[in-house]
Amino acid sequence: MNLTDFITAPVIMTSLGLLFGVILAVAYHYLKVDEDPRIAETEELLPGTNCGACGEPGCLPFAIKLVAGDVSPSGCTVASEDDIDGLSEFLGVDAGEQEKNIARLKCAGGKGQAFQIAEYQGFEGCRAAAVISGGGKGCSWGCLGLGDCEVACTFNVIHMNDNGLPVVDTDNCTACADCVDVCPKNLFELRPLAEKLYVQCNIPLEGECVTALCSAGCDACAKCVADAPVGLMAMVNELPVVDYTSGLFTSDKTTQKAIDRCPTNAIQWLEGNQFTELSDEEKRFKART
Amino acid sequence: MSNSFSLGRLFSIGNLFIKGGFSHGVHPPHHKEQTEDLPIQRVPFMKRYVMPLGQHIGIPAEAIVKVGDRVQRGELIAKPKGFISTALHSPVTGTISDVGMHRYVDGSFRMAIEIEADPYATQQFPHAQSSIDVGDMDVGQFIESVQMSGIVGMGGAAFPSHVKYSIPEEQEITDLLVNGAECEPYLTNDHRLMVERPEAVLLGCEILRHQLSAKRVAIGVEKNKPESISQLKKYLTDDMAIDIVPLEVKYPQGAEKMLIKSIYDKELPAGKLPRDIGIAVNNVGTIVALADYFEHGMPLIERIVTLAGPGVHEPANLIVPIGTPIRDVLDFAGGLKDETREVISGGPMMGSPIADLDAPILKGTSGILAFTEKETSRPSEYPCIRCARCLEACPYFLNPSRLALLGKARLFDDMQEKYNVMDCVECGACTYACPSNIPIVQHIRTAKDNLRNRKTSQ
Amino acid sequence: MATDTTAYEEMIKGLWRDNPVFVQVLGMCPMLAVTNSAINAVVMGVATFFVLVGSSFLVSSFKQWIPKQVRISLYIIIIATFVTVVDYSLLAMLPAIHKELGAFIPLIVANCMILGRQEAFASKHNVKYAVMDAVGMSGGFMIALFALGSVREILGVGALFGVDLFGSNFEPWVIMILPPGGFLTLGLLLLFFNWFTERRKQFLGKVAEADRAAVLGVDKNG
Amino acid sequence: MKNKDPKLLLQSAPLLHQELTTPAAMKDVWIALFPATCAALWFFGLSALLIIIASIAGAVLTEWVFTDKEKRRFALSDTSAGLTGLLLGLTLPSGLPLWMAFLGGSVSIGLGKVIWGGLGANIFNPALLGRAFLLGTFPIAMTTWGPAGGPGEFFQIHSSNLALPFMQGHYDALSTATPLGLMKFEHQGTELVSLFMGNTAGSIGETSSLFLLLGGLFLLIRRSIDWRIPVAIFSTAALFSLIMLLTSSAESTTSYPSPFFTLFSGGLLLGTFFMATDPVTSPLTPKGCWIFGIGVGFLVVLIRLYGGLPEGMLYAILLMNAATPLIDRYTQPKIFGR
Amino acid sequence: MTNLKEISIQVQEPGSQRLIISMAVAGFISGIIIISIYMLTFNTIKENKARELREAVFKVLPDVSSMQKLHFVDNKLLLVKSDGMDDDMIFAGYDTKGQFIGYAIQGKGPGFQDTIHVLYGYLSSNRTITGMEILDSRETPGLGDKIFKDMAFVGEFMGLPMTKDIKAVKKGTKSQDNEIDSITGATISSKAVVRIINKAFNIWSPRLPQPGNEPALEIEETKKEANNG
Amino acid sequence: MDDLLWIFISTLLVNNFVLAYFLGLCPFLGVSGQLETSFRLGLATTFVLIITALCAWILNTYVLIYAPYLRLISFIVVIASTVQFIEMSIKKLSPSLFKSLGIFLPLITTNCAILGLAIFATNRGYGLVEGLTFALGAGAGFTLAMVLMAGIREETEINDVPALIRGTAFNLIIAGILSMAFMGFAGLFSST
Ligand SMILES: Cc1cc2nc3c(=O)[nH]c(=O)nc-3n(C[C@H](O)[C@H](O)[C@H](O)COP(=O)(O)O)c2cc1C
Ligand SMILES: Cc1cc2nc3c(=O)[nH]c(=O)nc-3n(C[C@H](O)[C@H](O)[C@H](O)COP(=O)(O)O)c2cc1C
Ligand SMILES: Cc1cc2nc3c(=O)[nH]c(=O)nc-3n(C[C@H](O)[C@H](O)[C@H](O)COP(=O)(O)O)c2cc1C
Ligand SMILES: Cc1cc2nc3c(=O)[nH]c(=O)nc-3n(C[C@H](O)[C@H](O)[C@H](O)CO)c2cc1C
Ligand code: SF4
Ligand code: SF4
Ligand code: SF4
Ligand code: SF4
Ligand code: FES
């Protein structure tokens, strides 16, 4: 048996290998799905979080669009710069100008600034409170501070501070728009990080009406509009609006005066995070280290 | 009480054993004794009135007055803007002091007309057109007329009534159903109306039946209001094609679909309107408002409000001009007790809490109820033990237990896709029945709000 | 030199941080099926070690010649060859244990961990890295097997490697050597693993906090 | 601040609530179990009491240790952990070492409840899970049945009860077979009267059909349990065993008991009234309850007749518990108007 | 970041021949490796297996010093040499003088958990069972595994008359020759063993030749291995 | 016939591939998150199991009698290739099915249940019909376990299972409890 076995084994194995090699080869030939092989490769290069921040239902659909050239790699907000370079090198396309967007809150009326007229009692959640007669906040446009956005944020970069306002970690915000979708008061908007002059209020009332409700609210005094370069700002619906397309906005603080004169600090120059998460003590600690 | 023994529920395999009623539902104590025997009273005129331009679903009216204008009681101050929109009339004689943002009952600010009442003018309704002859109106004129009367549904939803009456060509209304169920605890405004003005109810029915070319009218009244039933029957004459139907006392008997089920034994398909099966449903208050308009030419400028609950000093049924600040109405009834913790507008099962007492009475405000610490301190919430009491309470056969769980987990899409959360009418029966005190309805409301807003934003 | 340390790190990774069982949750079947005694677990571990290291070596050596379409089939052929070798060797050397391990020696072929390593690592790295990675991964696998096997044997029989631990009066927990015991023990072990990592994180956090408090305290005094 | 009024509360409607609360629902079950527990003490004496105490202690302590600090008092206040302990205790044999009863209690709550997220979140009945664990872990101890004594032997404690932790119990010689064991292995029936009163061998709480029925009726009248489940279990089990009895051939090696025996023997009554009906682990929907009950009834007879174990109630319920999510999912009630 | 060059290499489509060839080559090499290890271990494995089997047979058939495998084909018992085992095979045991002693019969059937494999010795001359051995089972440790761990139970099968079907009865109630005391707590496994033996016996008893007509011992080699085994 | 029934019941319930034999745990733990997918994966696996039983029988009767030592490797190669072939066919014929089973289709190939079936069937000397019954029972058992598991997991998804517990550890514990419940079937139809 010895010698024959020494022959049978390799023979059988080789023929099995051959047989299935042939079958598979034939299969590849005839059953091949006409799919661009680059799609699979591209998908591998994507982060695979399937977060939807790019606006597609997942990484695979995004990859398909990428290969088709419908979107640019920088559309993926999660991928690191290296990843995006890698992607563009692979796809042979330009990465596209990446303009970092972040979520900004149109309100600065936290617990310390805005007044309550009634006391909401029920489970935590802004929308849950909003549907129960507005949740009791005097300003019905302002932030309820119950943290729906904190829960909704896929990337966990929103945290409620002691003042009851959501602090968005600007460095890590991917502009996925979760907070924009979830906020019952529609307070979040995605803005380019470069647009630093920002009005942190959403109240369409003016004058004392506003100050009776909130000490941080914009009372539509229009001083900022008057002090800013002409044409940069305008009052719309009792709120100042900065026209970034006007070309008048420069990042040197020519608008400092406009900011300085605001009686309620509703207009701000934002370099990084909009609010701070840290108490004064913590801040001192940070400063020391 | 839901753990009281009820044969109907014991054998509730589908609807087999129940005829002339609806399945599920709850039996909350009805607490009507406070006000059911109190005759309707008129509140005197106050100093200031606020008329929000949008008091109903649809498009807000458009103000046609400006600050400083003098207006007569009953004068048009805002005209409808579009079809699903109704006119607004001044509830008092006085001067327009503001047209701007004012606090609404739900805590938000809305465009409203503020009127400084003129203390010296006689606050009488000027009988300009003492009655409007409906006899030779065609359908179009009738609908326009109702639209200009400012009448909206008084049953709670405040849906513009003329919209309900505009029946598409291919449909016809065979039955007019008048909702006198008043199944919400504490409220007695419909009851008092039926007791005190049965002729007006019957007259309104006849007018509307005629206009809609309906064959018959049914007035459904819960059996716990025998006086209403007997009063209506007393004034009923043989030439009226009107039936008075006593109904089982069960919450939410007054909900449109339940009423149709109880009276006609028809299940209104989801997403369909009553008119699709040939029925028009109106609250008795709406019917009386119609009667008043066509009999006396009086547009909708006042309504009956029940003031009750353990937190008010003098419970009452009041005729209140629309736009009166709630605080003034309460003050008229002796004000709130000190231990009052929560004031709600509407019934205790479906009403909404009031955040600011300066907000005005609206066309749809059926009651103002004040509750004390005792009612508002709820027993602590326990986890859902899946006891299925909520399922057995839900008249719409939803799965509230699952809805609440999903709501807690914020899986709103699942709530809609798998459990049809949008079919919930927020009647509160489930929450009433839940031994674990889970705020099921609030979870549902939150989810619906989320789903709705998402729909519009995308 | 630098590469040496990284190759070494590659190995250490498999032992704890990327442990195939506790972290990646791979190769559960052999893991659970053979761990009703410590000795079985160890033998299985050794067998897996041999197969994984061998096939990683081969795959990374021949990676240029492996066509993409049939790579899986080829990996499997390579793995199966090694497994057959192990199978026959065990059968010859340790027939009693082979009988206990039963069908699970051949089933090493289907251990996702092994194939997974070929796909994810060996086919993309050079031989040295691939082998170190394989050593680490199978080492981690062995650790997990041993942990599970000894817990199950100690509780289920009251013995370790067949040595009686608690005397004859001990009431054995029979379920531990039955299938549910396998699932439950591994589940609880994983739970413990998670809990431990979590506690460590918390502990580190607390240490940092304490540091900070100290600094602040100094600040206040000063 | 604008605080002219007593600051008003905003709470979601409805403001009215019925009186029943979850702790009250649990209390009903305690009350309903009282007669059966008394019967257990009557027949199995102090041993039974010790076992019940041990398993309740195991359950409650575990709940106490493993719930969050803030939730602790609250979690125990609903008494459901103690109830689980009691129910587990009632399913144990009287001679079981106390440490096993304690371990069973803590496994019930630990594996059966805490890890799932506490009250209401568990899929499997915790008490039965504890019992299944004990049965699989200590099969011999769990199938060694002491005979039902009587008040005369009330103060006799089985020496096996007092075994040291982790050590075997030493059984004081006599161990008897349960009615189901006799039926299965010896093809020997038990008189219905004994089954009814409860002076047979078996788990301490399962033997007395009469008192279990009393408790069950109390729960039914209080509407604490869904009536569909018991009805479905009883009718399915009775029907299935009747069919098997009628169609069995003479030379068959299986012994087919009468439907009465099926209903009144073993843990069927205890399981039906108190365990299958556990709201948490049974389906929500009415149709689901029917399916669940039919499933339990079928499985219990199947396992009793053809399975390896003489008693199948435990596994029948656990298996149907596993299927409950599926049942619930596919028996959603038809929504009004859809 | 995966190396991009590697990706582009893989993206290229290799020709079918390469695909087939690589499969074939792999098959060839692995065939060689496998056959080598097989050859290397062949003898040891064979010996192990044979020893195991012999030990089992010698246990159930005491006083036997050599054995051979018989195959029931065409209504006859024929000698087989192959290693394989199947249901139609039986062992014949012989004493030192090559005198036939008895058969070792194997049977299998469902137990409490899984299939139980049983081997038992049978003396056709006086119709008795001489011993029983469990070859394979997955019965519960501590309970069902007493069918081979509990020596009292195993011992009951020594010298058990097989005039009619044997029966397992509750422990301590044995009253007849053909009854076996079950193991307490493992009644089911005990009964399963008994049932398996009965079943195998009922298959084999008509097949066995008349006492005295047994096939003679032909393979001598087993004998000397038996001594050192 | 009786034997076939016993083989079926035994592999379906008593010796369930997943819960008693620990075969196919990777998909069992990985894909059982969604009922829909679990069921489909169960069906796909059953299908592959049947193919496997066929292949194993063919190999055993026609090839391996000449070279028993090639058993393992030929099983795995043949099965893997066959499954890969089927996989490609599915991809071609029903992209939606392919998508819903996602990455786990290739994993079915290397699922130990598949190889386990072939090896167990050979070890037990099953013929063609027995082998197919075995495969059917195993597949049905796998599907049953998958579906139950998925139902439970979907249910627990919305409960507040402590974060620390959630994940594989939890899934294993559920599997353990399921396996404990399946112990109730022990001895089914074998003990009478
Ligand atoms: C767009 C729209 C059109 C409607 N049209 C009619 C209608 O023609 N006839 C009618 O009876 N109700 C109509 N309704 C009103 C509803 O059927 C229902 O009566 C209203 O939402 C209030 O019901 P409720 O008080 O029971 O909640 C309409 C509602 C909407 C939103
Ligand atoms: C749960 C529920 C309870 C209701 N109860 C009453 C009621 O008691 N009386 C009533 O007139 N309308 C009640 N409604 C409103 C009716 O469904 C319906 O909208 C109304 O009768 C239509 O008449 P309208 O348009 O004249 O208001 C209820 C609605 C819901 C959803
Ligand atoms: C977890 C568990 C495992 C068991 N394993 C076996 C077993 O392997 N063999 C057996 O015969 N009985 C086993 N049993 C016990 C049987 O189900 C049955 O109770 C016993 O055979 C009855 O025997 P008895 O009448 O002698 O007590 C087991 C029971 C349990 C709970
Ligand atoms: C009617 C009813 C029956 C119950 N049955 C059981 C039971 O069989 N086992 C148990 O552990 N808990 C039982 N409980 C208590 C509680 O529901 C149980 O601890 C939960 O399963 C824990 O989440 C029961 C509660 C009620 C109200
Ligand atoms: S920003 Fe919106 S979601 Fe966030 S806390 Fe404020 S109200 Fe809530
Ligand atoms: S006034 Fe402006 S800042 Fe203040 S709460 Fe309202 S929106 Fe926010
Ligand atoms: S509130 Fe919604 S879910 Fe609850 S009972 Fe009413 S209709 Fe049903
Ligand atoms: S939500 Fe409340 S009523 Fe509904 S099942 Fe859960 S505990 Fe019962
Ligand atoms: S190891 Fe068994 S399926 Fe992965």
Side-chain angles (χ1 to χ4, degrees), chain A residues 106-109 114 137 139 141-143 200-203 210 214 216-218:
Chain A
K106 285 185 280 191
C107 176
K137 185 164 182 138
C139 165
W141 292 271
C143 169
Q200 309 187 116
C201 182
N202 192 31
I203 195 165
V210 175
C214 173
C218 161

Side-chain angles (χ1 to χ4, degrees), chain F residues 82-99:
Chain F
T82 314
V83 174
Q84 204 178 350
F85 181 75
I86 292 167
E87 179 201 325
M88 283 192 289
S89 316
I90 292 180
K91 196 169 181 178
K92 179 84 176 175
L93 300 176
S94 165
S96 56
L97 182 65
F98 182 78
K99 228 179 213 163

